[in-house]
Amino acid sequence: MEDPHYTVLSPTGGQEQGNQHPPKDLMPPTSSKFKHWRWWLLVFLNILFLLVGQTAATLLGRFYYDQGGNSKWLSTLVQTAAFPLLLLPLITLPNTSSSFSTTDPRPSTTKLTLIYIALGLIIAADNLMYSYGLLYLPVSTYSLICASQLAFNAIFAFFLNSQRFTPLILNSVVLLSFSSALLGIDEESSSDSTDIPGGKYMLGFILTLGASATYSLILSLMQLTFEKVIKKETFTVVLEMQIYTSFVASCASVIGLFASGEWNKLDGEYEEFGKGKASYVMTVVGIALAWQVASVGVVGLIFVVSSLFSNAISTLALPVVPVFAVIFFRDKINGVKVMAMLIAIWGFLSYLYQNYADDSKARRSLKDARDIADTSVP
């Protein structure tokens, strides 16, 4: 039986499902409330939020560990704890709809609650894996492995969001996978920093790779929820998704912090932090704010484009973080890392070109449709 929803070519290099409304990717976007320049401005701002927030949060997270911090659950908690800041845009900004918003009744509160709880718990587990990965890996290696999330997201988007695999997308997946595999067998990276616990490199590699896959799954599940359950993507709905899932993840992190006994050691961390007490507070608060800025960019790009595009943009920080890691943390960039970085950049550019090609094709189709409409008018 055929799917009753139409399938359209999107400029994200895939196919998206809709609900009998014009596809949002053929015009950026089709809603008359958005002008062309306003759409691009929104995309640019979300990209800026994502890149700045992600880079700052990663570097501050490594700084926290280097200066004597050791609480994995605290590192997990701060990745979502600043979610109340989203209440401000939720209250003040207009409730703009995406193209596939419908007049269908809102799903039941019970169903939404279960979805938010499930996603929140997955996010908490994902953040914990990232915390362990950042503890056990040099920042440069950690950042390069995180680039594999684009490959994972392409796979999840294929199965969950009906995004298609083109030769360029497949090439991107293979290259990013190969890049991560190179780092997995690079024994020299385990001794790149004296602050990395001995013998923990492979564990950090596995956890970071698992976190990247889980993060990609989360993005695809969010997009699937918007399309199949909530059946609309208003700005309010997107923010509610972020707020409620972050609340659940934060609660799970607090429980983990107390259950693990790490909360007993926080006073010691505060007193003995390498750069002083004030620096400890600023670091923890800074990590929380940076991750929240990044999450705003992630969800914003899911809203205006797609989960695959959001994940692709996050890999733009790939060449940036290792450079800062060399400057601030004296990470070593050996030949394997350079090769892995170049392969990963090649994979990203492959995806980016597919995005450009699809966008150009969509614009030509739109222009042809308009020309036909104009010539048919007497």
Side-chain angles (χ1 to χ4, degrees), residues 71-271:
S71 175
K72 278 73 70 178
W73 279 108
L74 179 61
S75 297
T76 301
L77 175 60
V78 296
Q79 294 182 49
T80 54
F83 72 88
L85 295 176
L86 292 178
L87 294 174
L88 181 61
L90 181 64
I91 296 171
T92 58
L93 295 180
N95 186 23
T96 305
S97 300
S98 75
S99 60
F100 68 82
S101 297
T102 74
T103 57
D104 293 344
R106 184 178 176 87
S108 68
T109 303
T110 302
K111 180 183 291 187
L112 282 178
T113 300
L114 292 175
I115 290 174
Y116 291 147
I117 290 175
L119 286 175
L121 293 177
I122 296 174
I123 290 171
D126 184 50
N127 291 344
L128 182 62
M129 287 190 287
Y130 274 128
S131 297
Y132 273 98
L134 190 57
L135 174 63
Y136 294 152
L137 295 174
V139 181
S140 55
T141 304
Y142 170 87
S143 177
L144 290 170
I145 295 173
C146 286
S148 64
Q149 67 194 35
L150 178 59
F152 286 117
N153 203 51
I155 296 171
F156 286 126
F158 175 79
F159 289 105
L160 298 178
N161 307 122
S162 299
Q163 304 240 4
R164 67 188 177 90
F165 267 116
T166 66
L168 286 174
I169 293 294
L170 183 60
N171 180 62
S172 177
V173 170
V174 172
L175 289 173
L176 289 168
S177 301
F178 186 56
S179 173
S180 296
L182 277 178
L183 294 171
I185 61 175
D186 180 22
E187 296 181 357
E188 292 183 24
S189 293
S190 61
S191 59
D192 277 353
S193 174
T194 57
D195 297 312
I196 305 300
K200 299 293 186 179
Y201 177 83
M202 185 52 63
L203 177 60
F205 173 82
I206 294 173
L207 289 174
T208 303
L209 196 63
S212 298
T214 305
Y215 176 76
S216 301
L217 175 62
I218 290 168
L219 292 184
S220 292
L221 288 175
M222 282 185 173
Q223 188 167 338
L224 185 67
T225 301
F226 290 140
E227 295 177 353
K228 301 296 185 181
V229 179
I230 302 176
K231 297 183 179 179
K232 62 179 179 180
E233 258 185 317
T234 66
F235 193 73
T236 298
V237 166
V238 173
L239 282 177
E240 286 177 348
M241 169 75 77
Q242 182 66 18
I243 290 171
Y244 295 144
T245 56
S246 294
F247 172 73
V248 173
S250 297
C251 290
S253 300
V254 170
I255 293 173
L257 181 64
F258 281 90
S260 66
E262 287 186 358
W263 68 278
N264 289 318
K265 304 175 182 178
L266 295 183
D267 285 341
E269 284 188 7
Y270 174 72
E271 295 290 341

Side-chain angles (χ1 to χ4, degrees), residues 301-317:
L301 289 175
I302 293 175
F303 171 56
V304 296
V305 189
S306 76
S307 64
L308 187 58
F309 183 80
S310 176
N311 216 344
I313 292 301
S314 68
T315 63
L316 278 175

